[in-house]
Amino acid sequence: MAWIRNAVLAGLFIATVAATTAASAESSLWDGIRGFFRGALYRFPDVAGPDGTTTVSPAAPADWRRFGEGGNSRLAILLTDPASDWLALAHGLRTIGVPFVITDDYRKALAHRVVFVYPRVSGQVLPPQALKALAEFPAKGGTLIAQHVLGGGLDKLFGFDEAGPRTATELRFQGRSVLTRGLDDTAETSIRIGGRQVAPTGSYAYSNPKRPPLATYQDGSAAILGDETGRAYAIGPDLGYLLARGYDNRQQDIARQYVNGFEPTLDVLLRAVRNIYRAGEPDAVTLSTVPQGKPLSVIVSHDIDYTRSLENALAYAAFERSRGITATYFMQVKYVRDWNDDVFFTDKGVRMLRDLRATGMEIASHSVSHARPFKDFPLGDGTERYPDYAPFVRNRTVAENGTILGELRVSRFLLEHFLPGDVVSSFRPGHLANPFALPQALAAAGYRFSSSVTANDSLTHLPFQLTHGRENVAETPIFEFPVTVEDELDGPMLDRLPQALALAERLKRYGGLFVVLIHPDILGQKLDFEKKFVEAQGDGVWYGSVSQFGEWWAARDQLGVDAIEKNGRVVLTLVAPQPLEGLTLELPAMWSPEVFPAGLSIRQQANRLVLGRVSGKHELIFTKDVSGPFSGNGPGLR
């Protein structure tokens, strides 16, 4: 569509170009075009801002001790190197809903039933008494996950000779085991963990295994081993390293395709750890990834970055409103004419935007310039304001006068100025251009949620927390909701409806996130795709905007869950610092409800409880009964 828009504008250039070249024989054609463009900045009378300065805080390295509190029913991470990728592992466990604590004290770790030693086991990082206790732990009924078993005598426990670095591109699960429960898709039983062009690091192989490996690398070498009791696992790949590669958008050619496909590498690894935790902890309680007990979260989103898109958006919103769906409309505040397009953030555009907001849809920021080079923009000084901030896109690869903070500050200011009462909390850059400074800049500019990458490129179909500089050292409060399916690659969107529906079914098997990106530059087949996709899902999925799901996800991320057993009764304590509704708890099968807090709405689905509004501290009491309703033998509460 860009060439059509530019062809129309070219006709408008002619007079300006001719005048420019007649006045000065030395002027170039390009100078004339640039002069025409740069003179076209739409000014709203008496509108200027934002005031003040946006200051980006320096990176504050995360401290693992922040994750040190919690009961013994949680997974214990025994941290043997604070300089490792433990932060990505922590973020991943919170995403998949496994409660955990981190400690560097092996005695505290071994008070838990399931222990994950990360990132390595050797005599250089653990004292002899710790190594001896870990080796004896499975025989005493505990479950041990040991990554990179490089020494300390634990090779005898797992039955191998040596561990050595391995250039690994694939991880292939072998047979059926605790790890592979629910991993039935061919894209899950064999996952990519290394790039085709960039040599990966962080993997070890175990030589001469005495028992068949639970997983191998692409060359057949042993990647994951188990002991004879089924309570010990030696892990060869570095899970934290892989999680960081996906979450930091640095996957380096691991993904098989950029978008519109199924790339569950990180989800598979996290589900495998969750499987081990559930099998080893009889009082394991995990958190579902979807609100209201549904199998899939769906976010419908639209990017308004073309002259006619705003008018077309009203037709999409009318359909969404008729189906009770709140979609997110990422609005480009385009007040500068340039190579991309004409100005459309005008008085007329604002009136249509207000009509769109009146339908109940979320209005989010899609930047000012929608520039591909946004990923290379400087950070800016945090004083950028309208109308002085005037970024200019010269062509596909060159943009001038733009900054990251300018794009964030000015777009948010203008949207909130013309939509009084709205708080713009979500952002998506044009072309999903993703600068390294974007996470901390989003936080500084007042945003909370991002949809700036694809699910395939992140190796996950679940939300995750962003880090400062897209480096695995310091946290930001920003959560990312990656795009699953979009409308510009791989042919007409309606033609790809069967593949999209099949992908949704794959994600339903583990509570994935399905983010649809549709540019409303046309109606026709794109609107038909959305209608048919929604019709196919019926009432079986959860719909919400980026900010709606983001608020829920951020509250879920803070939730604490602990179980204490005494005399055949289990007290489950929930602590919700931020209120949330529709939290789903996945419970042990043998638990039977006994006492629930008065006023707390609870709905049972087999061995899951869907809770109403949760805020503060709640205690739920259960008895253990092998014939109870959660075992599958009782009637349940449906």
Side-chain angles (χ1 to χ4, degrees):
M1 299 300 293
W3 71 270
I4 298 175
R5 301 195 296 266
N6 295 336
V8 173
L9 288 173
L12 301 176
F13 303 160
I14 295 174
T16 302
V17 173
T20 303
T21 54
S24 172
E26 297 180 358
S27 297
S28 67
L29 175 63
W30 179 242
D31 287 339
I33 294 174
R34 288 173 63 191
F36 172 84
F37 273 143
R38 283 182 167 167
L41 186 151
Y42 193 89
R43 293 177 181 269
F44 295 93
D46 302 320
V47 177
D51 295 327
T53 301
T54 297
T55 302
V56 177
S57 300
D63 188 342
W64 61 264
R65 295 172 185 83
R66 184 169 73 84
F67 300 93
E69 299 299 322
N72 290 347
S73 64
R74 300 189 181 199
L75 169 70
I77 298 175
L78 177 56
L79 186 63
T80 59
D81 182 2
S84 63
D85 287 313
W86 66 266
L87 181 59
L89 180 61
H91 286 172
L93 291 173
R94 295 181 86 148
T95 283
I96 205 64
V98 172
F100 66 94
V101 298
I102 302 179
T103 180
D104 62 354
D105 185 339
Y106 78 92
R107 290 159 296 195
K108 181 179 178 180
L110 292 176
H112 298 246
R113 292 189 179 97
V114 184
V115 176
F116 188 165
V117 186
Y118 181 84
R120 61 185 173 275
V121 177
S122 76
Q124 294 182 335
V125 296
L126 290 168
Q129 58 269 34
L131 295 166
K132 181 175 184 295
L134 290 172
E136 296 172 348
F137 187 56
K140 295 180 178 180
T143 297
L144 177 66
I145 308 169
Q147 182 178 277
H148 292 180
V149 182
L150 306 183
L154 268 72
D155 52 328
K156 298 181 178 61
L157 172 66
F158 296 105
F160 67 89
D161 288 347
E162 292 181 333
R166 184 72 51 169
T167 299
T169 58
E170 292 184 21
L171 184 67
R172 302 171 181 175
F173 292 98
Q174 306 296 319
R176 306 305 297 172
S177 66
V178 168
L179 283 87
T180 58
R181 288 176 184 170
L183 303 179
D184 302 317
D185 195 293
T186 55
E188 296 170 339
T189 55
S190 178
I191 59 175
R192 291 194 60 82
I193 61 172
R196 296 179 291 276
Q197 299 175 12
V198 180
T201 60
S203 295
Y204 280 78
Y206 300 110
S207 67
N208 299 320
K210 305 304 184 290
R211 289 174 291 277
L214 302 178
T216 63
Y217 297 120
Q218 74 282 353
D219 61 0
S221 59
I224 301 178
L225 297 176
D227 77 331
E228 294 177 342
T229 68
R231 290 184 170 274
Y233 302 87
I235 308 294
D238 186 333
L239 303 193
Y241 172 86
L242 290 169
L243 288 161
R245 286 295 162 271
Y247 292 167
D248 295 340
N249 202 211
R250 298 171 184 263
Q251 55 93 9
Q252 296 178 317
D253 202 32
I254 297 176
R256 283 164 279 208
Q257 62 187 103
Y258 173 66
V259 72
N260 300 332
F262 186 45
E263 200 67 73
T265 291
L266 305 188
D267 304 343
V268 166
L269 296 173
L270 291 172
R271 290 164 65 194
V273 173
R274 185 178 63 181
N275 284 343
I276 296 173
Y277 170 65
R278 285 174 171 170
E281 172 52 67
D283 294 328
V285 176
T286 55
L287 310 180
S288 175
T289 52
V290 184
Q292 300 295 346
K294 301 283 188 176
L296 181 71
S297 300
V298 176
I299 296 175
V300 179
S301 68
H302 303 278
D303 290 0
I304 301 176
D305 48 32
Y306 168 52
T307 308
R308 291 167 55 185
S309 292
L310 192 52
E311 182 177 356
N312 290 341
L314 295 171
Y316 286 87
F319 165 71
E320 289 149 4
R321 185 176 184 180
S322 72
R323 302 313 279 293
I325 296 171
T326 302
T328 297
Y329 286 77
F330 289 96
M331 178 69 189
Q332 180 190 1
V333 292
K334 184 160 182 49
Y335 55 84
V336 178
R337 182 190 293 122
D338 58 14
W339 180 85
N340 272 340
D341 202 355
D342 199 357
V343 170
F344 54 80
F345 195 75
T346 61
D347 286 317
K348 179 182 177 181
V350 167
R351 288 194 296 271
M352 287 192 290
L353 184 65
R354 286 171 173 164
D355 290 341
L356 179 62
R357 181 65 186 90
T359 65
M361 303 301 135
E362 177 191 13
I363 305 301
S365 170
H366 197 38
S367 78
V368 176
S369 66
H370 197 270
R372 286 182 183 274
F374 175 64
K375 63 182 177 61
D376 299 316
F377 275 15
L379 179 62
D381 63 10
T383 64
E384 299 87 345
R385 64 200 310 266
Y386 174 86
D388 301 319
Y389 179 71
F392 177 76
V393 178
R394 180 188 293 182
N395 54 43
R396 184 182 180 89
T397 59
V398 177
E400 300 168 346
N401 305 325
T403 67
I404 297 172
L405 289 176
E407 298 291 299
L408 299 179
R409 276 171 52 91
V410 175
S411 62
R412 187 170 189 254
F413 163 75
L414 287 172
L415 291 172
E416 292 182 350
H417 175 84
F418 288 109
L419 299 172
D422 268 25
V423 175
V424 174
S425 59
S426 305
F427 177 80
R428 175 180 289 159
H431 308 286
L432 301 187
N434 190 14
F436 291 104
L438 184 59
Q440 59 266 32
L442 286 169
Y447 293 88
R448 299 188 61 200
F449 313 117
S450 167
S451 185
S452 302
V453 298
T454 67
N456 287 21
D457 212 29
S458 302
L459 307 176
T460 178
H461 295 272
L462 291 168
F464 51 92
Q465 189 171 354
L466 296 179
T467 54
H468 190 107
R470 288 166 43 201
E471 297 176 340
N472 193 36
V473 176
E475 293 180 297
T476 73
I478 307 298
F479 288 93
E480 174 69 35
F481 301 87
V483 174
T484 314
V485 166
E486 57 75 67
D487 59 347
E488 293 191 331
L489 296 179
D490 305 324
M493 200 171 196
L494 186 58
D495 293 350
R496 294 185 277 114
L497 178 65
Q499 293 92 325
L501 294 175
L503 178 54
E505 293 303 312
R506 294 169 109 172
L507 298 182
K508 286 178 184 178
R509 294 172 52 253
Y510 66 94
L513 168 64
F514 197 103
V515 177
V516 184
L517 189 167
I518 300 176
H519 294 80
D521 54 340
I522 62 171
L523 299 175
Q525 59 95 7
K526 290 187 182 182
L527 181 55
D528 288 343
F529 170 92
E530 182 177 341
K531 290 179 177 179
K532 291 180 182 296
F533 181 86
V534 171
E535 179 183 359
Q537 304 309 318
D539 297 327
V541 303
W542 182 89
Y543 287 102
S545 67
V546 172
S547 63
Q548 286 174 334
F549 193 34
E551 295 283 357
W552 186 87
W553 190 267
R556 172 191 178 274
D557 188 72
Q558 297 182 41
L559 189 107
V561 55
D562 290 289
I564 298 178
E565 180 182 355
K566 187 175 182 180
N567 298 326
R569 301 169 79 239
V570 181
V571 177
L572 179 65
T573 302
L574 304 177
V575 178
Q578 297 295 325
L580 74 160
E581 187 167 346
L583 175 71
T584 302
L585 304 177
E586 299 160 336
L587 306 175
M590 67 179 62
W591 283 16
S592 182
E594 182 176 319
V595 179
F596 288 164
L600 178 60
S601 172
I602 295 178
R603 175 165 48 93
Q604 184 184 334
Q605 296 177 340
N607 68 318
R608 307 199 307 169
L609 293 182
V610 182
L611 307 182
R613 188 178 189 274
V614 177
S615 180
K617 184 176 179 180
H618 299 271
E619 288 188 347
L620 289 72
I621 300 177
F622 301 84
T623 56
K624 287 192 172 183
D625 181 0
V626 294
S627 63
F630 293 171
S631 68
N633 298 323
L637 302 175
R638 302 291 176 190

